[in-house]
Amino acid sequence: KSPRPKPLKWGIPFDFNRRRMSVVLEDRTGKRQLITKGAVEEMISISSFIELDGKVYPLDDEKLEIVKETYETYNHQGLRMIAVAQKNDIPDSNHFSIDDEREMVIIGFMGFLDPPKKSANPAIKALEEYKVRTVVLTGDSEGVAINVCNEVGIDTSLVYTGSDVEGMTDSELAVAIEKSSLFAKLSPQQKTRVISAFQSEGHTVGFLGDGINDAPALRQADVGISVDTAVDIAKETADIVLLEKDL
């Protein structure tokens, strides 16, 4: 017998605007399936159905409330939540694009726990003693960001999101950066804009980051700081790379 062909896979890469990625799988029988994962709000925007207990239902207001309640429950516990959706009705061609990410069926969530380092709290207190203010700029959702900041002693009484920043003029952002210590769900470009606002107000800015989405902010900051386990572009962009896992 000749070996059975392996399943084929195509991908629609992640980007920071749509905040999701997809793969198209084909099994040995020729059946194709589009599977998408990404930020919950963005996933809801491309989904028309939901699978519950093995059955598929339209994503009406009642079912949407189930999705949101499930997400918010775990998100407020500090879990980074990613929604997963799929559909079988996809074209037979081998060319796929973001236009195929529509009328999806939400099938569940993945949750990730990423607790702060034990050295974070004393490091932040030490910075305060040296009159260095700590502000968090993150692409994470508000729920996760607030949970982590509360654990390490960063004020969360006023939180701005990327959509808030997008709607602000430069003068409004200049006011916002003096009031808030947490900016959540930021795109890489929005992180850079917030840092530029601090610099325009006369602040010297150090930025600590380790991901691809941190590279523009690391470049914009007066001092870019990364870690030895960061992605290559973050380490290459940074001025300082911390070699020990201790803040």
Side-chain angles (χ1 to χ4, degrees):
K1 283 186 177 181
S2 59
R4 298 172 72 183
K6 293 182 178 180
L8 300 175
K9 182 179 75 173
W10 298 267
I12 307 172
F14 176 88
D15 68 63
F16 292 105
N17 291 321
R18 67 189 224 289
R19 293 166 61 87
R20 59 182 181 265
M21 64 162 289
S22 295
V23 292
V24 178
L25 303 177
E26 182 179 283
D27 67 14
R28 294 182 176 91
T29 68
K31 175 189 173 184
R32 290 186 175 183
Q33 185 178 33
L34 177 68
I35 301 176
T36 305
K37 67 176 182 178
V40 176
E41 291 180 6
E42 283 73 7
M43 291 295 293
I44 290 174
S45 71
I46 62 167
S47 297
S48 302
F49 305 93
I50 182 173
E51 182 176 327
L52 292 171
D53 300 321
K55 296 181 179 180
V56 175
Y57 302 91
L59 190 59
D60 56 21
D61 291 342
E62 179 186 352
K63 299 298 189 296
L64 184 59
E65 193 63 29
I66 294 174
V67 172
K68 290 181 177 179
E69 283 184 5
T70 303
Y71 162 65
E72 289 173 1
T73 296
Y74 291 101
N75 185 246
H76 289 148
Q77 293 176 14
L79 286 175
R80 293 178 175 177
M81 298 293 289
I82 293 175
V84 183
Q86 66 87 27
K87 74 173 182 179
N88 298 322
D89 183 20
I90 53 177
D92 292 331
S93 70
N94 293 337
H95 301 284
F96 306 98
S97 71
I98 60 176
D99 291 334
D100 296 305
E101 297 174 334
R102 56 188 174 86
E103 298 186 351
M104 304 288 293
V105 182
I106 293 179
I107 58 176
F109 297 95
M110 293 185 290
F112 303 88
L113 182 61
D114 187 12
K117 292 183 179 295
K118 292 181 180 179
S119 56
N121 202 314
I124 291 169
K125 289 181 179 177
L127 288 170
E128 287 178 357
E129 292 176 4
Y130 284 98
K131 309 302 180 184
V132 177
R133 179 182 167 205
T134 300
V135 178
V136 174
L137 312 181
T138 179
D140 285 340
S141 64
E142 292 171 80
V144 170
I146 289 172
N147 189 282
V148 172
C149 286
N150 285 337
E151 287 190 45
V152 298
I154 292 176
D155 180 31
T156 60
S157 58
L158 179 59
V159 181
Y160 291 108
T161 65
S163 58
D164 295 327
V165 171
E166 195 68 28
M168 291 180 184
T169 63
D170 289 345
S171 58
E172 289 171 336
L173 184 57
V175 174
I177 61 173
E178 301 298 344
K179 292 181 177 180
S180 177
S181 296
L182 174 56
F183 293 78
K185 208 171 183 182
L186 297 179
S187 70
Q189 292 75 24
Q190 289 165 346
K191 288 181 181 180
T192 301
R193 187 179 173 215
V194 172
I195 290 174
S196 297
F198 275 107
Q199 292 169 325
S200 297
E201 293 301 303
H203 296 285
T204 300
V205 180
F207 180 82
L208 173 64
D210 64 356
I212 295 173
N213 56 335
D214 292 318
L218 286 165
R219 185 178 295 110
Q220 177 64 39
D222 298 293
V223 182
I225 308 166
S226 196
V227 294
D228 194 35
T229 54
V231 299
D232 288 343
I233 191 172
K235 290 190 287 186
E236 291 167 3
T237 307
D239 302 296
I240 298 171
V241 177
L242 304 179
L243 300 181
E244 295 183 14
K245 295 182 178 181
D246 190 322
L247 295 172

